[in-house]
Amino acid sequence: SERFCLQYDANSLLYVSKAMDMFDISHSVTQRLSSLREDNQRACTSVCLDASEQPASDQGHSGVETSEEIRADLVRGVKAAMQPTLVLGVQSDILFPVRQQKEIADILRQAGNTRVTYYELDAIYGHDTFLIDVVNVGAAIKGHLENTH
């Protein structure tokens, strides 16, 4: 752990955490961001984003109201994701809980992806399981890759 502290700036984890919290693949958000990107590309000549600029606070939030609308928006957002997909959950992960991983797998299936595999690991390392438990994570990935050919 001392090596980790010496190699990484703890503040970088705040940025990564914020990026994960703001990530939204729903149809309404991706469409709005795509439109904004097109507008910005037309407006830019050399530099599109000044280092002092910050994204608007509502970019990344769909604005839909009910859980049914949110789910439908997410399903529309992943309609194009039809490749074989492995969703890997870890029971002790509080950053991305297994209920969210199961929901992602269900949304992909609801969107029409018939090649979704959900695999759940019982490990004590939480979200770091993906970095620490390489044997079990590797076995899940290997099994998924072997079954998708």
Side-chain angles (χ1 to χ4, degrees), residues 81-145:
M82 292 298 135
Q83 62 277 3
T85 305
L86 172 64
V87 179
L88 191 55
V90 178
Q91 291 177 358
S92 59
D93 188 345
I94 60 172
L95 185 58
F96 293 109
V98 292
R99 68 173 170 74
Q100 289 179 343
Q101 301 306 315
K102 290 176 183 176
E103 183 179 23
I104 289 168
D106 290 344
I107 286 168
L108 286 163
R109 289 183 187 115
Q110 191 176 348
N113 188 338
T114 59
R115 299 179 298 169
V116 177
T117 302
Y118 174 77
Y119 193 82
E120 191 170 304
L121 296 173
D122 181 16
I124 62 170
Y125 308 112
H127 188 71
D128 289 343
T129 296
F130 300 98
L131 302 170
I132 297 170
D133 193 356
V134 294
V135 172
N136 288 318
V137 172
I141 294 170
K142 181 178 186 280
H144 174 70
L145 294 173

Side-chain angles (χ1 to χ4, degrees), residues 8 30 35 52 60 97 104 126 148:
Y8 298 100
T30 54
S35 177
S52 65
I104 289 168
T148 58

